């Protein structure tokens, strides 16, 4: 069945925050660093995260009892879209704010919520996500990291890879196998564990990416002992929990705003005769994506689960934010020369950073191949009639 | 979609698919009977939020665009505070005011002139109502979907009514928003038809939609269709607000892309069958391509949007959020 979505207007109280966030950015992101802008929501600036925490912009929707702001999902939407549109460095708290915190709120113990969530809201506590493994990428359920129950502890062995921020994260939420697959159904027997990254037996090795960054890591677990309450949610319920978590990951403004600073650079310097049509097409894409993304946010607020629409936002969004980079660079007259560390043009640094990061835009959070499979399944293809 | 919107769209769909709707005149009469030809009349206080779904339904059921133009003409008349009786249609073109205040110029490819009494159009920020009988019409011609159109010439015509409006050209903007909605509806039809065909057609002992290459094409159809629907509805909801020029231009640029891709991919998935006259796919795809070019072809709208970007000093994010960055 075709998904059906209606555009929404963001509520007035959420819109009212826009001016406030722009004023915050005028103070704390007055001179954007193009190297950080190019990394978008993977860019780390611990002080910037702390400043956001003080302003109440992290954990905005969480209860006040845990340090949150008790605000609406739409208010959070406005804050994050303004931060991302400016290319602000939100990487240190991004994962915790977007998905680990909400997971803990849903499945964590009262003690975990009280000890961990306030640190996230302050912009201090860093999370990473343990999903991919050397043999398990898109086929995530084939993972082999295993946790065994021994007495009142879990003992963890195995390896994760492509783990963003693992080198300095305080916590990881890991998807691991806790029992054998039943009848070849490998989605059964998976669980989520809350792993203290300071626990003995954990080794982290950074992986340098082609842009020169070390966001990625390999993480090794050797007989890592975890307390019984490290189990998040239901034992064996990990697959359903992760699927719900990935849906939260798919439709946000981070899926199409990554390279907006570069497009804006072009728009500000454009030659109307040569670039007008190109910019018009990109602005039309941008407005359409934002309309879709806010509508999906509205669906989530209403308690619905728009899996197909969310996958559509992610796929169209990645195509947009990835495709415009070289187009904009060409129109800005980029000559492909490596930017020098000293005294280089900020636009060149932004272009170079984005060009080198671009391949990841259609890999993280689900590849187009996987997303189109999810969409096709939702349409009822191949006899999968709903 | 509101409850009223769903009910009105349902009514429209029933008329368009009903057995009593053999000709365009039948459909037009049934729309009039249901009050859908002049839906903005005082008392009902309906908005585009309630009525955009009717226009989507016209597109979805291979209906005539003239029905949407009548609705949009009514909206423009109502927003201008005018009262005009009788059937209306909408036109946008190049008009000028003569020294004596009369109107002269051309209105190309106007729909609905067989039955409309008045043509609603605009000139330099003013809504203008012209008596159909005061205009000279070309011989009927057809658009790519075989819908009847007339090129209209006004030669020193005295308008029936005038009203000042702030919009750039309310008739052009309303007509363009209608085409975006119609395209979104026709895209839904083409996509639904393609889903049905690929589920039924077997090759290599499997239905076509069991092949991953086909599934990915179907996914792209769904993407383009949802994108068209979202931006077209956003544009329609914004009619009469300060955001209308940006959103309608964006909707026309984006739905032009959707129209093209949906037509291409749905034909590709159908093989030769979709190319035949007997099979119905072409009714949707020819409408996609015909409507894409009406009330300003894509180039006109990308020029318009490019101009808006230039005047905003390149503030794309301000235009997207409706709040200029520098003013805030």
């Amino acid at each position: 069945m075709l998904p059906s979505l209606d555009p929404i207007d963001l509520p007035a109280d959420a819109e009212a925050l826009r001016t406030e966030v722009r004023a915050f950015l005028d103070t704390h992101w007055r001179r954007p660093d193009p190297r950080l802008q190019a990394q978008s929501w993977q860019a780390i600036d611990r002080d910037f995260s702390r400043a956001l925490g003080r302003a109440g912009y992290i954990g905005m929707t969480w209860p006040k009892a845990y340090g949150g702001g008790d605000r609406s999902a739409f208010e959070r939407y406005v804050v994050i879209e303004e931060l991302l549109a400016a290319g602000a460095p939100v990487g240190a708290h991004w994962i915790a704010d977007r998905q680990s915190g909400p997971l803990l709120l849903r499945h964590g113990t009262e003690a975990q919520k009280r000890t961990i969530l306030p640190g996230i809201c302050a912009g201090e506590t860093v999370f990473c996500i343990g999903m991919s493994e050397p043999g398990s990428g898109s086929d995530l359920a084939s993972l082999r990291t295993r946790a065994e129950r021994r007495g009142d502890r879990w003992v963890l062995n195995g390896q994760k890879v492509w783990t963003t921020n693992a080198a300095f994260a305080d916590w990881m939420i890991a998807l691991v196998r806790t029992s054998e697959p039943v009848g070849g159904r490998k989605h059964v027997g998976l669980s989520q564990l809350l792993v203290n990254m300071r626990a003995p037996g954990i080794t982290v090795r950074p992986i340098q990416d082609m842009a020169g960054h070390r966001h990625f890591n390999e993480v090794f677990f050797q007989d890592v002992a975890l307390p019984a309450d490290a189990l998040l949610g239901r034992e064996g319920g990990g697959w359903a929990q992760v699927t719900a978590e990935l849906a939260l990951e798919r439709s946000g403004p981070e899926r199409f705003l990554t390279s907006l600073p570069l497009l804006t650079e072009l728009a500000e310097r454009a030659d109307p005769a040569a670039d007008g049509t190109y910019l018009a097409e990109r602005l039309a894409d941008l407005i359409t994506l934002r309309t879709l993304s806010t509508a999906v946010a509205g669906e989530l607020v209403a308690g619905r689960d728009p899996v197909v629409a969310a996958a559509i936002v992610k796929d169209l969004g990645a195509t947009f934010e990835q495709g415009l980079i070289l187009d904009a660079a060409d129109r800005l007259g980029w000559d492909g020369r490596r930017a020098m560390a000293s005294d280089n043009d900020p636009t060149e640094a932004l272009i170079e950073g984005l060009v080198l990061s671009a391949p990841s835009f259609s890999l993280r959070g689900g590849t187009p191949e996987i997303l189109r499979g999810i969409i096709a399944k939702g349409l009822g293809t191949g006899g999968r009639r709903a | 979609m509101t409850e009223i919107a769903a009910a009105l769209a349902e009514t429209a769909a029933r008329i368009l698919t009903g057995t009593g709707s053999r000709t365009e005149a039948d459909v037009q009469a049934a729309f009039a009977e249901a009050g859908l030809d002049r839906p903005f009349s005082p008392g009902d206080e309906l908005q585009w939020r309630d009525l955009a779904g009717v226009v989507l339904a016209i597109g979805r059921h291979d209906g005539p665009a003239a029905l949407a133009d009548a609705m949009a003409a009514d909206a423009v008349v109502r927003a201008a505070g005018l009262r005009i009786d009788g059937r209306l249609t909408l036109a946008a073109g190049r008009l000028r005011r003569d020294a004596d205040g009369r109107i002269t110029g051309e209105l190309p490819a106007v729909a609905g002139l067989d039955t409309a009494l008045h043509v609603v159009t605009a000139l330099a920020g003013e809504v203008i109502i012209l008596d159909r009988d005061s205009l000279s019409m070309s011989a009927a011609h057809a658009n790519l979907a075989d819908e009847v159109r007339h090129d209209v010439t006004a030669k020193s015509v005295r308008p029936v009514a005038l009203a000042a409006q702030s919009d750039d050209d309310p008739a052009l903007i309303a007509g363009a928003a209608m085409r975006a909605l119609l395209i979104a509806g026709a895209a839904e039809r083409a996509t639904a038809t393609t889903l049905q065909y690929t589920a039924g057609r077997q090759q290599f002992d499997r239905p076509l939609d069991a092949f991953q290459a086909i599934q990915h094409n179907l996914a792209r159809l769904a993407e383009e269709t949802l994108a068209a629907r979202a931006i077209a509805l956003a544009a329609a909801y914004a009619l009469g607000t300060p955001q209308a020029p940006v959103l309608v231009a964006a909707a026309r640029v984006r739905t032009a892309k959707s129209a093209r891709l949906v037509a291409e991919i749905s034909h590709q998935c159908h093989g030769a069958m979709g190319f035949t006259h007997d099979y119905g796919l072409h009714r949707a795809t020819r409408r996609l391509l015909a409507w894409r070019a009406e009330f300003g072809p894509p180039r006109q709208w990308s020029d318009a949007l490019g101009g808006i970007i230039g005047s905003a000093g390149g503030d794309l994010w301000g235009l997207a959020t409706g709040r200029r960055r520098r003013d805030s």
Side-chain angles (χ1 to χ4, degrees), chain A residues 225-243:
Chain A
L226 301 172
D229 71 356
L231 177 72
L232 257 191
R234 199 168 57 78
E235 186 175 343
W239 187 254
Q241 288 169 212
V242 158
T243 310

mmCIF file of all heavy atoms in Angstrom, chain A residues 225-243:
data_model
loop_
_atom_site.group_PDB
_atom_site.id
_atom_site.type_symbol
_atom_site.label_atom_id
_atom_site.label_comp_id
_atom_site.label_asym_id
_atom_site.label_seq_id
_atom_site.Cartn_x
_atom_site.Cartn_y
_atom_site.Cartn_z
ATOM 1 N N ALA A 225 32.693 -8.386 32.149
ATOM 2 C CA ALA A 225 31.636 -8.708 33.115
ATOM 3 C C ALA A 225 30.732 -7.492 33.295
ATOM 4 O O ALA A 225 31.201 -6.388 33.536
ATOM 5 C CB ALA A 225 32.250 -9.104 34.446
ATOM 6 N N LEU A 226 29.415 -7.724 33.137
ATOM 7 C CA LEU A 226 28.441 -6.638 33.273
ATOM 8 C C LEU A 226 27.400 -7.037 34.307
ATOM 9 O O LEU A 226 27.081 -8.219 34.434
ATOM 10 C CB LEU A 226 27.745 -6.390 31.934
ATOM 11 C CG LEU A 226 28.633 -6.008 30.750
ATOM 12 C CD1 LEU A 226 27.809 -5.997 29.462
ATOM 13 C CD2 LEU A 226 29.272 -4.648 30.979
ATOM 14 N N PRO A 227 26.857 -6.071 35.044
ATOM 15 C CA PRO A 227 25.833 -6.406 36.043
ATOM 16 C C PRO A 227 24.552 -6.907 35.385
ATOM 17 O O PRO A 227 24.339 -6.675 34.192
ATOM 18 C CB PRO A 227 25.581 -5.078 36.759
ATOM 19 C CG PRO A 227 26.020 -4.026 35.796
ATOM 20 C CD PRO A 227 27.147 -4.634 34.997
ATOM 21 N N ALA A 228 23.708 -7.562 36.164
ATOM 22 C CA ALA A 228 22.477 -8.157 35.622
ATOM 23 C C ALA A 228 21.589 -7.099 34.981
ATOM 24 O O ALA A 228 20.928 -7.360 33.967
ATOM 25 C CB ALA A 228 21.709 -8.872 36.727
ATOM 26 N N ASP A 229 21.580 -5.887 35.572
ATOM 27 C CA ASP A 229 20.675 -4.869 35.025
ATOM 28 C C ASP A 229 21.244 -4.211 33.765
ATOM 29 O O ASP A 229 20.688 -3.237 33.266
ATOM 30 C CB ASP A 229 20.294 -3.834 36.086
ATOM 31 C CG ASP A 229 21.447 -2.915 36.463
ATOM 32 O OD1 ASP A 229 22.569 -3.124 35.945
ATOM 33 O OD2 ASP A 229 21.234 -2.000 37.273
ATOM 34 N N ALA A 230 22.328 -4.748 33.232
ATOM 35 C CA ALA A 230 22.826 -4.256 31.947
ATOM 36 C C ALA A 230 21.885 -4.645 30.809
ATOM 37 O O ALA A 230 21.931 -4.046 29.733
ATOM 38 C CB ALA A 230 24.227 -4.801 31.674
ATOM 39 N N LEU A 231 21.046 -5.630 31.042
ATOM 40 C CA LEU A 231 20.073 -6.004 30.009
ATOM 41 C C LEU A 231 19.067 -4.868 29.845
ATOM 42 O O LEU A 231 18.441 -4.436 30.804
ATOM 43 C CB LEU A 231 19.332 -7.281 30.426
ATOM 44 C CG LEU A 231 18.245 -7.723 29.440
ATOM 45 C CD1 LEU A 231 18.853 -8.289 28.168
ATOM 46 C CD2 LEU A 231 17.321 -8.747 30.097
ATOM 47 N N LEU A 232 18.927 -4.386 28.605
ATOM 48 C CA LEU A 232 17.968 -3.309 28.330
ATOM 49 C C LEU A 232 16.741 -3.916 27.681
ATOM 50 O O LEU A 232 16.846 -4.549 26.635
ATOM 51 C CB LEU A 232 18.575 -2.311 27.357
ATOM 52 C CG LEU A 232 19.112 -0.980 27.865
ATOM 53 C CD1 LEU A 232 19.399 -0.073 26.688
ATOM 54 C CD2 LEU A 232 18.162 -0.303 28.829
ATOM 55 N N GLY A 233 15.609 -3.692 28.297
ATOM 56 C CA GLY A 233 14.388 -4.224 27.704
ATOM 57 C C GLY A 233 14.292 -5.717 27.936
ATOM 58 O O GLY A 233 14.790 -6.255 28.928
ATOM 59 N N ARG A 234 13.717 -6.417 26.966
ATOM 60 C CA ARG A 234 13.408 -7.826 27.136
ATOM 61 C C ARG A 234 14.552 -8.699 26.624
ATOM 62 O O ARG A 234 15.097 -8.410 25.555
ATOM 63 C CB ARG A 234 12.131 -8.121 26.346
ATOM 64 C CG ARG A 234 11.390 -9.384 26.719
ATOM 65 C CD ARG A 234 10.002 -9.391 26.065
ATOM 66 N NE ARG A 234 10.080 -9.263 24.601
ATOM 67 C CZ ARG A 234 10.395 -10.259 23.786
ATOM 68 N NH1 ARG A 234 10.685 -11.451 24.256
ATOM 69 N NH2 ARG A 234 10.434 -10.067 22.476
ATOM 70 N N GLU A 235 14.894 -9.713 27.360
ATOM 71 C CA GLU A 235 15.882 -10.673 26.870
ATOM 72 C C GLU A 235 15.285 -11.368 25.646
ATOM 73 O O GLU A 235 14.164 -11.870 25.683
ATOM 74 C CB GLU A 235 16.217 -11.708 27.952
ATOM 75 C CG GLU A 235 17.340 -12.637 27.520
ATOM 76 C CD GLU A 235 17.780 -13.591 28.630
ATOM 77 O OE1 GLU A 235 17.447 -13.330 29.803
ATOM 78 O OE2 GLU A 235 18.451 -14.592 28.313
ATOM 79 N N GLY A 236 16.020 -11.343 24.545
ATOM 80 C CA GLY A 236 15.511 -11.927 23.297
ATOM 81 C C GLY A 236 14.664 -10.948 22.488
ATOM 82 O O GLY A 236 14.252 -11.264 21.375
ATOM 83 N N GLY A 237 14.409 -9.763 23.051
ATOM 84 C CA GLY A 237 13.581 -8.779 22.331
ATOM 85 C C GLY A 237 14.420 -7.754 21.585
ATOM 86 O O GLY A 237 13.912 -6.724 21.135
ATOM 87 N N GLY A 238 15.711 -8.036 21.440
ATOM 88 C CA GLY A 238 16.634 -7.047 20.871
ATOM 89 C C GLY A 238 16.298 -6.636 19.453
ATOM 90 O O GLY A 238 16.427 -5.473 19.097
ATOM 91 N N TRP A 239 15.835 -7.585 18.639
ATOM 92 C CA TRP A 239 15.598 -7.244 17.233
ATOM 93 C C TRP A 239 14.463 -6.232 17.095
ATOM 94 O O TRP A 239 14.588 -5.232 16.378
ATOM 95 C CB TRP A 239 15.291 -8.499 16.407
ATOM 96 C CG TRP A 239 15.212 -8.164 14.949
ATOM 97 C CD1 TRP A 239 14.095 -8.081 14.191
ATOM 98 C CD2 TRP A 239 16.307 -7.791 14.111
ATOM 99 N NE1 TRP A 239 14.413 -7.684 12.915
ATOM 100 C CE2 TRP A 239 15.766 -7.499 12.835
ATOM 101 C CE3 TRP A 239 17.694 -7.667 14.298
ATOM 102 C CZ2 TRP A 239 16.558 -7.096 11.756
ATOM 103 C CZ3 TRP A 239 18.472 -7.265 13.221
ATOM 104 C CH2 TRP A 239 17.910 -6.992 11.977
ATOM 105 N N ALA A 240 13.375 -6.474 17.804
ATOM 106 C CA ALA A 240 12.240 -5.536 17.739
ATOM 107 C C ALA A 240 12.665 -4.161 18.260
ATOM 108 O O ALA A 240 12.297 -3.124 17.689
ATOM 109 C CB ALA A 240 11.071 -6.075 18.548
ATOM 110 N N GLN A 241 13.460 -4.158 19.345
ATOM 111 C CA GLN A 241 13.887 -2.877 19.920
ATOM 112 C C GLN A 241 14.784 -2.108 18.951
ATOM 113 O O GLN A 241 14.667 -0.900 18.795
ATOM 114 C CB GLN A 241 14.619 -3.123 21.246
ATOM 115 C CG GLN A 241 13.683 -3.558 22.358
ATOM 116 C CD GLN A 241 14.407 -4.059 23.603
ATOM 117 O OE1 GLN A 241 13.918 -4.936 24.296
ATOM 118 N NE2 GLN A 241 15.590 -3.509 23.887
ATOM 119 N N VAL A 242 15.696 -2.832 18.297
ATOM 120 C CA VAL A 242 16.617 -2.185 17.370
ATOM 121 C C VAL A 242 15.869 -1.665 16.142
ATOM 122 O O VAL A 242 16.155 -0.583 15.633
ATOM 123 C CB VAL A 242 17.731 -3.172 16.950
ATOM 124 C CG1 VAL A 242 18.363 -2.757 15.636
ATOM 125 C CG2 VAL A 242 18.785 -3.226 18.027
ATOM 126 N N THR A 243 14.892 -2.422 15.677
ATOM 127 C CA THR A 243 14.129 -1.988 14.511
ATOM 128 C C THR A 243 13.398 -0.688 14.818
ATOM 129 O O THR A 243 13.405 0.251 14.019
ATOM 130 C CB THR A 243 13.114 -3.082 14.110
ATOM 131 O OG1 THR A 243 13.817 -4.318 14.039
ATOM 132 C CG2 THR A 243 12.506 -2.794 12.771
#
